[in-house]
Amino acid sequence: ARQAFLDMDSMDIMLSSEGAICFIRHSIDTGDEFYDAEVKFWNRFMPVIGEYIQDFNKALSNSKFRAELASEFSDIIFTNIELKIRSFCIENITLMQRENDLTQEYDKLIASAQIPYKDGVYTIAQMTPFKNDPDDSARLAAWKAEGKWYKDNQDKLDSIYDELTHLRDQMGRNLGHENYIELGYDQMGRNCYRQEDVEKFRCAVAEYIVPVAEKIRKEQAQRLGMQYPLSFSDMALEFRNGNPKPSGDEKSILEAGRKFYDELSPETGEFFRKMLDDEMLDVTARKGKEGGGYCEGIPAYKMPFIFANFNGTQGDV
């Protein structure tokens, strides 16, 4: 039983690493036809293989050696397996495949955005500095330029969102839930808090955080010489002379990171240098690249991959 567990873990490391590399490559360039096809393959493949992983998880959960395995490898393994068992049924395989396709379609649509502004054309990530412009009319114009792209693509975005909502609702119902919420918590591996805990957190945010946030926004409006509440475009400006921003380009930011990790400890310095040497960071915003940022682990390499869209704002730091 112990060896079967370790063998399965080794296969999972290989499988998840292959999948991670595929999705990383696709997010770096959504126009790459090879990795676009690879992601489409994974979209179909992973829900199908989930049925076989489910068989293994059930066998492991019911093993007569469960106590010994939990003692050696931690009981959290079985807690998480219970979540995985609860969140899967054969009826949802085709729905999960469609969910994957819709998610990929959304990512590609956002990555394809080409927004005309002034004398250039920009991606959504590249528009951020213009949306922070200290000049009120220029800043508003940038927000409107980006907003026009969303408006022009509203029907497609709404269609994807609507289909995903109904699809996920059906997935939850197929597992005996009233809606998707319970399944959503299980799929995200929420093994120590649930919906009722988040409801309490939301109430605490409303009671304690919102008044502080309102005070900060009122101070911001006063600092900018504007009326409160601020508009969406004015809220983006923190100081009348402009927002904080990096003093150097992306190369200098990564060099500052290397210096920081070198001084923190020999181990962190060595680790970050390996990330740089192995090109485990892609931080440049460019056409065809997905928006946002993420950190993805590649278990086979025992390394993380950092994905970002530097655009000359304080978020780069």
Side-chain angles (χ1 to χ4, degrees):
R2 181 181 185 277
Q3 191 57 50
F5 171 79
L6 293 174
D7 289 345
M8 184 63 173
D9 189 57
S10 296
M11 286 190 285
D12 182 60
I13 287 172
M14 178 185 69
L15 185 70
S16 59
S17 297
E18 292 290 333
I21 292 169
C22 172
F23 283 96
I24 287 169
R25 291 289 187 185
H26 181 258
S27 64
I28 288 173
D29 181 5
T30 58
D32 186 307
E33 294 182 0
F34 175 81
Y35 282 105
D36 187 61
E38 285 290 285
V39 169
K40 285 184 171 66
F41 166 77
W42 281 89
N43 288 349
R44 311 238 81 69
F45 168 72
M46 283 308 296
V48 172
I49 203 173
E51 181 180 352
Y52 301 95
I53 295 174
Q54 180 82 335
D55 290 341
F56 179 86
N57 286 338
K58 286 180 179 179
L60 185 64
S61 180
N62 296 323
S63 172
K64 63 181 179 180
F65 303 110
R66 176 167 173 161
E68 291 92 331
L69 292 167
S71 176
E72 181 173 357
F73 299 112
S74 170
D75 194 53
I76 193 69
I77 290 171
F78 292 96
T79 302
N80 290 337
I81 280 176
E82 294 297 334
L83 294 179
K84 291 176 181 177
I85 292 173
R86 275 211 314 259
S87 62
F88 182 87
C89 67
I90 294 175
E91 293 77 10
N92 279 348
I93 289 178
T94 56
L95 299 182
M96 287 189 288
Q97 290 173 331
R98 180 58 182 159
E99 178 187 31
N100 290 339
D101 287 338
L102 287 169
T103 303
Q104 182 183 5
E105 185 179 353
Y106 171 83
D107 289 338
K108 288 182 66 176
L109 179 59
I110 295 297
S112 72
Q114 291 289 281
I115 302 167
Y117 181 70
K118 292 187 176 180
D119 298 326
V121 180
Y122 304 92
T123 66
I124 291 174
Q126 291 170 336
M127 283 296 296
T128 303
F130 303 119
K131 290 158 58 184
N132 294 340
D133 196 310
D135 183 274
D136 294 344
S137 59
R139 187 173 64 257
L140 180 60
W143 278 89
K144 286 185 175 180
E146 181 177 297
K148 184 179 184 303
W149 182 87
Y150 280 104
K151 196 68 179 172
D152 290 344
N153 290 274
Q154 178 176 345
D155 290 345
K156 189 59 183 174
L157 289 165
D158 285 352
S159 173
I160 293 172
Y161 186 85
D162 183 68
E163 187 175 349
L164 275 172
T165 300
H166 286 90
L167 186 146
R168 287 168 172 163
D169 180 72
Q170 186 59 52
M171 287 166 63
R173 293 178 186 277
N174 286 347
L175 284 160
H177 305 307
E178 292 183 3
N179 49 43
Y180 177 67
I181 295 174
E182 195 71 19
L183 172 58
Y185 278 89
D186 287 343
Q187 287 180 329
M188 290 187 289
R190 303 302 188 228
N191 57 28
C192 57
Y193 67 93
R194 305 296 289 185
Q195 183 180 0
E196 57 273 17
D197 300 300
V198 174
E199 289 173 355
K200 293 177 184 176
F201 179 74
R202 275 203 308 271
C203 291
V205 168
E207 183 176 356
Y208 299 108
I209 304 299
V210 171
V212 176
E214 184 179 36
K215 178 176 180 289
I216 291 171
R217 290 301 186 190
K218 285 180 176 178
E219 292 173 353
Q220 179 185 1
Q222 185 177 18
R223 190 167 62 239
L224 296 175
M226 297 176 175
Q227 292 293 316
Y228 179 84
L230 295 166
S231 71
F232 58 90
S233 63
D234 291 337
M235 201 178 296
L237 184 65
E238 297 175 33
F239 300 96
R240 180 41 74 188
N241 62 345
N243 291 352
K245 59 183 180 180
S247 59
D249 59 14
E250 71 176 51
K251 185 176 180 180
S252 66
I253 292 174
L254 294 178
E255 176 58 27
R258 184 200 59 74
K259 182 174 183 292
F260 167 80
Y261 284 115
D262 278 346
E263 293 179 0
L264 186 63
S265 76
E267 293 84 0
T268 54
E270 179 185 358
F271 192 88
F272 191 68
R273 284 171 179 271
K274 182 167 177 57
M275 287 187 67
L276 293 173
D277 292 342
D278 291 356
E279 299 181 2
M280 302 301 283
L281 301 99
D282 189 297
V283 300
T284 306
R286 56 185 176 271
K287 181 181 177 181
K289 185 177 179 181
E290 282 187 13
Y294 62 77
C295 174
E296 178 67 69
I298 307 179
Y301 299 162
K302 298 181 180 179
M303 293 287 286
F305 177 85
I306 304 294
F307 177 98
N309 276 278
F310 281 12
N311 49 29
T313 63
Q314 59 186 322
D316 298 353
V317 178

